[in-house]
Amino acid sequence: MSKNTNSIWQIHPLEGLGQIKFSMLRSDVDQFSADIGPVQIDRSDTVQSQQAGLDELYKMFPDFFSAEDYIAVSDAIAEFGQVRDDTILEFRPNGLSFEYTSGALTEIFADENCKKLNFMGFPVFLSEPIMLLKELSHSLQEQPVIYQQEVIFPAHKIYFYGFVEDLDGLGKCQEGSSRHRTISWRNSVRPNSVALSQYHPIYFD
């Protein structure tokens, strides 16, 4: 059932994607399959699947993860992963995926294959990254923070990865790799994430 195709790819911070809203049930989200595509695969996010996913990422992108990063995430999975046993990840075409906790939508994720995704009129994966983040910072009235290759708008629960990278640890950044860029957004604090104390503000010219 198609519902307003023209706006379905618009990110709404803290709310969802188009008319897809956080806290919707999977059956409610599935009503938009005519626009966002059918479910290709889904999996329960058990401790075992989380560790397997980490192992796969580490093999695929060894340049992005140090041995220390791998150990830290693996330890976090062992300590906190059990609380995600009621989490289901649902993957759809065009780089779009959804996370459900206790049956309700909690996070939306997109990668560089999601060309239709737009945010306040800017195509997320087709815009120049630094310009995109600068314009969003102005529109959202929030200064983003950065840690390595991840940029967060903490108040709006938006997470960019791979768009830019930390240049000097003093708030300057440069464009990141054009590959493996992702964005995710939520309406609640992301569980088991790196402490925000490790991030620092980005200062745009």
Side-chain angles (χ1 to χ4, degrees), residues 155-197:
H156 290 87
K157 311 295 187 295
I158 306 168
Y159 308 86
F160 292 85
Y161 184 83
F163 285 75
V164 298
E165 56 186 357
D166 191 5
L167 185 60
D168 58 3
L170 298 175
K172 293 184 179 179
C173 62
Q174 63 184 10
E175 184 171 342
S177 169
S178 60
R179 302 175 60 196
H180 313 310
R181 291 177 180 172
T182 63
I183 179 175
S184 64
W185 62 106
R186 311 171 51 91
N187 66 349
S188 59
V189 176
R190 185 175 58 178
N192 306 333
S193 58
V194 176
L196 283 178
S197 60

Side-chain angles (χ1 to χ4, degrees), residues 43-197:
R43 64 178 176 83
S44 297
D45 203 16
T46 62
V47 171
Q48 292 77 13
S49 67
Q50 291 176 57
Q51 185 62 51
L54 173 63
D55 293 342
E56 184 176 352
L57 281 174
Y58 189 64
K59 291 177 182 177
M60 291 175 62
F61 309 119
D63 294 340
F64 287 158
F65 298 94
S66 67
E68 291 78 12
D69 291 334
Y70 174 85
I71 292 171
V73 176
S74 186
D75 288 346
I77 289 173
E79 183 174 359
F80 302 109
Q82 198 69 32
V83 302
R84 292 178 59 83
D85 273 354
D86 65 344
T87 299
I88 293 177
L89 300 176
E90 178 185 272
F91 301 89
R92 292 176 182 261
N94 304 317
L96 191 64
S97 60
F98 298 93
E99 177 182 288
Y100 301 85
T101 303
S102 299
L105 180 62
T106 51
E107 185 166 4
I108 302 173
F109 176 96
D111 64 26
E112 67 271 11
N113 295 306
C114 198
K115 305 301 185 185
K116 296 180 181 180
L117 191 70
N118 66 91
F119 194 177
M120 297 184 174
F122 295 94
V124 174
F125 293 104
L126 298 176
S127 297
E128 192 277 318
I130 294 178
M131 181 277 294
L132 173 69
L133 295 174
K134 182 177 180 179
E135 291 295 333
L136 296 186
S137 176
H138 176 75
S139 297
L140 295 172
Q141 293 295 293
E142 180 179 8
Q143 185 178 40
V145 295
I146 188 170
Y147 173 73
Q148 297 180 353
Q149 295 188 68
E150 182 173 56
V151 173
I152 300 178
F153 288 84
H156 290 87
K157 311 295 187 295
I158 306 168
Y159 308 86
F160 292 85
Y161 184 83
F163 285 75
V164 298
E165 56 186 357
D166 191 5
L167 185 60
D168 58 3
L170 298 175
K172 293 184 179 179
C173 62
Q174 63 184 10
E175 184 171 342
S177 169
S178 60
R179 302 175 60 196
H180 313 310
R181 291 177 180 172
T182 63
I183 179 175
S184 64
W185 62 106
R186 311 171 51 91
N187 66 349
S188 59
V189 176
R190 185 175 58 178
N192 306 333
S193 58
V194 176
L196 283 178
S197 60

